[in-house]
């Protein structure tokens, strides 16, 4: 007789481990923060404080949202279908100039509620007032890698440009031993950060052995600006500054040439793909099949809610798989299994968290979600992976466990007060409208 | 004091009428099968048998799925990510050869459950054993335009080729006065139907004043085959056979040239766009912005579940709006309002049902859905249309009224037994696997 804090039983377990092991009629036992047992068929005699019956549904690692700006949930639907600069200059920038810590905390809680409800258990964030994002994630119990956005202009959070790195370093020190919150160094992009800021950011990341995260080659405009200024592609510019490495997470990477992709692969740099945002803003289509072919680890992200406009990784997986097929005019590229890996184990690898999360394996932290398949749109069931990518939506997730803690049960949030979050978010939207009027 | 059978109150009503009228804090009264009152603010004293409180959510016309093969729900996830011919020849065709009436009835009920649960109130179907589709739709209370697929080879339903038109005519006669079921003449495509069959189909459609529906220019293969055989584009071939007209509904229309689009517009032919299927099968991207610019009415469809793999029009709207932006590299094309019209009033126009459904107007049939917006992913609310297209999913629909009859209340299906449908569908999937083994 062994003890466990939580058992999930009676589900098909997709482990997403290196063998893609699947346990039919499986069970997972969780002790403290980690998975202590896993198997199929009759359960060994384990005494558990709580047992969840998956009801014949699917059990899989919690999803990893590789790139978002969580608090931008408060801008959801504020302005769509506009040219990029009009959208930024008339809506996003004026609102962000007025932003404060409480705004970011509220918007992040809203994002966290949505993420838990749609099966995300780890997210990577870049925004302002990231201390608030860390606090909100801690309250919600959601795993995260977060970092303050750094650029060549003053910030409503840390003030003048020089203070950004100091603020980031204080975050790193403060959260160093936290079990679910990790900190990254996050210069915004090559077109908003000087070579000096980029190199200083890299130095800080290397000093503390944390990831360096930035937007790279998101738009054609960016590429031509960098070429004009430095006579280099964005990847060549990163390379010349010494930023390419296994610690680099490059978000978007829409416009890369073959030699850029090779360079990324050689240096072991990671990519996070954001297809819905890249479509909605008409940025372009990232060369994901080529990146994967060259061995680059690619994760999946939703980007912020101003350009998507939700945080549902199921919808993002569906779009990713379909977009690359029509782009390549080949129905076999970026198949469902590839996309599910991008959103679980490869997503974790992209964030450097593969030893902690992204797959269900004994000894790893317990980040687990349960999917209810007793629904018409998930019937019949020939292939669980196909259903997860092409037919399911975030709403089909019923339970979520993060770092061993149950944060959602039967779609009820256990760590957050949903009604209060919705009410406070509505108040903030009134404030935003007053800023823009 | 007036009487109504049903009142829906306390919602923001998006009428989708020609003025795009929106009623904040609005109400709709339904008497028999039609909308008898509509307004905003305090309700006049109407005595209703039943009142639904929309809880501050959105009320809009039920969505129109312009093209599907409903019973193909039973093939959902059976085979994905395969080259088209391998998919058809190894999976779909062998299964269809074994199909019978009961199979189609079961698969259609499964589709109907999914459609009601995701806000669809009208669908257009093309498949085998369409009498069963009509019966299932009638049972579910869902509005439809259905037609037996006709082609140059024997059918497991009507037998030899010649019988298809006779079968279709009997359907037309049988269902002529039905309030929710309409029949169309549906030759499969230009590459599976001889010019003779196409012309005879057209004659039958014109004789009975019903729509003529077929797949047109879905793949590059089809276009080159038709060019090789007839030295014409598919649209030129249709034109030469006299098939272009206001009664023609052309599904897909992925590969059209500028003169094809002009011809379609001149003849008032309609198009149904199926972006997710066209992406998944790598068929291509239909020239929707150009079609709309030339004045062609374009509806939206999911296609069948073997190539999508669900029937959620909310997901389809999101994908449609985003796909055309990235394809045109212009974030302003195919905006949210356009896509919502494609799925409501323009979708109804495409099917010739615009006097009956597709908008909320006094005197029109009452096809109405209610959306719950008290959810994190629909918070805050700046723009209802943006939320419907870019953030909502079918699961947010709580109530559905079709032809005045409540068919879903608080997400509970009132006309269908969901557990029984799921159980029967699972049995059918076992049968399918035995056909393919």
């Amino acid at each position: 007789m062994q003890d466990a804090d939580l058992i999930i039983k009676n589900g098909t377990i997709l482990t997403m481990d290196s063998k893609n092991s699947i346990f039919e009629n499986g069970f997972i036992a969780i002790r403290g923060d980690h998975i202590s047992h896993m198997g199929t068929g009759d359960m060994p005699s384990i005494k558990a404080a709580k047992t969840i019956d998956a009801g014949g549904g699917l059990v899989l690692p919690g999803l990893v949202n590789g790139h978002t700006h969580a608090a931008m949930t408060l801008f959801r639907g504020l302005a769509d279908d506009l040219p990029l600069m009009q959208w930024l200059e008339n809506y996003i920038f004026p609102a962000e100039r007025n932003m404060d810590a409480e705004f970011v905390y509220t918007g992040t809680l809203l994002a966290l509620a949505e993420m838990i409800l749609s099966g995300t258990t780890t997210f990577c964030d870049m925004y302002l007032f990231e201390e608030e994002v860390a606090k909100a994630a801690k309250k919600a119990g959601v795993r995260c890698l977060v970092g303050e956005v750094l650029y060549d202009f003053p910030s409503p959070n840390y003030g003048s440009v020089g203070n950004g790195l100091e603020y980031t370093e204080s975050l790193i020190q403060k959260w160093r031993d936290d079990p679910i919150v990790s900190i990254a160094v996050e210069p915004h992009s090559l077109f908003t950060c000087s070579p000096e800021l980029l190199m200083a950011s890299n130095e800080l990341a290397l000093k503390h052995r944390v990831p360096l995260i930035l937007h790279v080659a998101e738009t054609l405009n960016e590429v031509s600006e960098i070429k004009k200024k430095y006579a280099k592609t964005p990847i060549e510019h990163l390379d010349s500054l010494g930023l390419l490495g296994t610690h680099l997470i490059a978000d978007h990477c829409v416009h890369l040439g073959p030699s850029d992709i090779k360079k990324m692969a050689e240096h072991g740099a990671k990519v996070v793909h954001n297809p819905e945002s890249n479509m909605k803003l008409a940025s372009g289509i990232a060369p994901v099949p080529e990146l994967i072919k060259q061995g680059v680890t690619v994760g999946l992200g939703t980007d912020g809610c101003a350009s998507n406009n939700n945080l549902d990784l199921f919808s993002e997986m569906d779009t990713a798989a379909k977009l690359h097929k029509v782009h390549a005019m080949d129905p076999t590229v970026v198949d469902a299994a590839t996309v599910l890996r991008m959103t679980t184990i490869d997503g974790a690898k992209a964030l450097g968290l593969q030893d902690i999360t992204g797959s269900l394996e004994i000894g790893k932290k317990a980040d687990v979600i349960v999917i209810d398949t007793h629904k018409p749109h998930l019937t019949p069931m020939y292939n669980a992976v196909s259903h997860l990518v092409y037919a399911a939506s975030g709403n089909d997730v019923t339970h979520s466990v993060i770092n061993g803690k149950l944060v959602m049960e039967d779609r009820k949030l256990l760590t957050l007060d949903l009604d209060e979050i919705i009410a406070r978010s509505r108040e903030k939207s009134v404030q935003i409208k007053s800023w823009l009027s």
Side-chain angles (χ1 to χ4, degrees), chain A residues 323-373:
Chain A
L323 177 63
H324 294 289
K325 288 172 176 45
V326 77
H327 189 50
M329 289 297 272
D330 177 354
T332 69
V333 300
V334 187
D335 62 14
T338 299
V339 173
L340 189 59
R341 293 186 76 81
M342 283 167 63
T343 320
T344 53
I345 187 61
D346 286 357
K349 269 184 205 160
L351 304 185
L353 298 172
Q354 69 275 15
D355 294 335
I356 293 169
T357 190
S359 62
L360 302 178
E361 301 180 59
I362 291 172
K364 281 187 92 164
K365 302 303 177 195
D367 294 353
V368 191
I369 58 175
V370 178
I371 315 279
D372 177 8
T373 54

Side-chain angles (χ1 to χ4, degrees), chain A residues 81-98:
Chain A
D81 306 318
L82 293 174
L84 185 68
M85 291 319 292
Q86 201 173 317
W87 175 71
L88 284 173
E89 289 177 2
N90 297 351
Y91 295 90
I92 305 304
F93 290 160
E96 289 185 346
R97 273 196 292 276
N98 283 284

Side-chain angles (χ1 to χ4, degrees), chain A residues 12 64 121 136 146 172 191 204 265 326 331 343 364 373 395 412:
Chain A
T12 298
V64 179
T121 58
V146 306
I172 293 172
F191 63 97
L204 184 65
V326 77
T343 320
K364 281 187 92 164
T373 54
N395 180 73
K412 191 175 158 32

Side-chain angles (χ1 to χ4, degrees), chain A residues 84-130:
Chain A
L84 185 68
M85 291 319 292
Q86 201 173 317
W87 175 71
L88 284 173
E89 289 177 2
N90 297 351
Y91 295 90
I92 305 304
F93 290 160
E96 289 185 346
R97 273 196 292 276
N98 283 284
M99 198 169 278
D100 60 14
E102 199 217 336
F103 183 98
V104 170
Y105 186 72
T106 304
T108 304
L109 283 181
L110 179 64
L112 285 158
E114 185 184 349
M115 286 194 275
I116 296 173
L117 282 160
S118 55
T120 296
T121 58
T122 297
F123 71 106
C124 182
D125 200 63
M126 176 194 282
Y127 211 52
L128 303 150
F129 299 96
E130 280 289 324

Side-chain angles (χ1 to χ4, degrees), chain A residues 70-75 78 92 95-96 98-110 127-129 132-133 424-425 427-433 435:
Chain A
M72 292 184 91
T73 45
L74 294 176
F75 300 142
L78 176 65
I92 305 304
E96 289 185 346
N98 283 284
M99 198 169 278
D100 60 14
E102 199 217 336
F103 183 98
V104 170
Y105 186 72
T106 304
T108 304
L109 283 181
L110 179 64
Y127 211 52
L128 303 150
F129 299 96
E132 302 301 316
V133 179
R424 291 181 61 179
S425 299
E427 285 166 27
K428 289 292 164 201
S429 72
V430 175
Q431 206 177 11
I432 291 172
K433 281 189 270 190
W435 293 338

Side-chain angles (χ1 to χ4, degrees), chain A residues 148-406:
Chain A
E148 184 75 10
V149 67
L150 308 172
Y151 36 47
D152 291 336
F153 17 92
S155 149
N157 180 19
Y158 54 76
S160 66
V161 180
N163 301 339
L165 288 166
E166 237 172 85
Y167 177 82
T168 300
E169 189 157 31
S170 75
L171 286 182
I172 293 172
Q173 282 155 348
K174 186 165 178 187
W175 295 91
R176 182 171 291 287
D177 298 321
D178 194 87
I180 61 169
V181 175
S182 307
I183 307 293
V185 184
E186 307 202 13
H188 177 264
S189 67
L190 303 182
F191 63 97
T192 51
C193 296
S194 66
E196 293 69 35
L197 179 56
L198 291 170
M199 286 189 292
S201 298
N202 190 39
E203 206 173 302
L204 184 65
L206 292 171
K207 175 181 167 192
H208 292 286
R209 300 181 174 212
V210 300
L212 178 75
I213 304 179
L214 72 173
H215 298 103
V216 178
E218 182 175 356
T219 67
L220 285 171
N221 263 353
E222 175 191 337
V223 174
S224 65
E225 205 176 301
I226 298 300
K227 277 197 177 154
K228 202 170 150 190
K229 219 164 166 180
Y230 304 104
K232 291 186 171 68
T233 68
I235 299 298
E236 288 164 358
H237 184 46
L238 280 171
D239 194 20
S240 73
L241 299 176
L243 266 60
L244 290 183
T246 55
H247 66 309
L248 179 74
I249 305 170
D251 297 323
H252 298 294
C253 289
V254 174
H255 301 288
L256 303 181
S259 74
D260 293 329
I261 295 174
K262 258 193 196 144
K263 268 202 178 65
M264 298 284 283
E266 279 164 17
H267 287 88
K270 316 299 195 296
V271 168
V272 176
H273 177 42
N274 301 268
E276 293 199 14
S277 169
N278 299 156
M279 292 168 83
K280 183 156 180 274
L281 300 179
S283 304
I285 300 173
V288 170
E290 295 76 12
L291 283 162
I292 292 175
K293 204 173 164 188
Q294 294 291 331
V296 177
T297 296
V298 181
L300 194 72
T302 59
D303 208 352
C305 277
S307 58
N308 184 326
N309 296 351
N310 63 35
L311 302 172
D312 187 343
L313 281 168
F314 287 90
S315 156
E316 201 78 33
M317 286 197 282
D318 183 35
T319 302
K322 287 173 177 159
L323 177 63
H324 294 289
K325 288 172 176 45
V326 77
H327 189 50
M329 289 297 272
D330 177 354
T332 69
V333 300
V334 187
D335 62 14
T338 299
V339 173
L340 189 59
R341 293 186 76 81
M342 283 167 63
T343 320
T344 53
I345 187 61
D346 286 357
K349 269 184 205 160
L351 304 185
L353 298 172
Q354 69 275 15
D355 294 335
I356 293 169
T357 190
S359 62
L360 302 178
E361 301 180 59
I362 291 172
K364 281 187 92 164
K365 302 303 177 195
D367 294 353
V368 191
I369 58 175
V370 178
I371 315 279
D372 177 8
T373 54
H374 189 77
K375 300 196 172 184
H377 68 279
L378 299 177
T379 301
M381 171 70 76
Y382 300 102
N383 180 332
V385 174
S386 164
H387 272 20
L388 290 169
V389 171
Y390 294 123
S393 86
N395 180 73
D396 300 319
V397 180
T398 55
H399 296 73
S400 176
V401 175
I402 307 178
N403 207 49
K405 185 178 171 185
L406 190 61

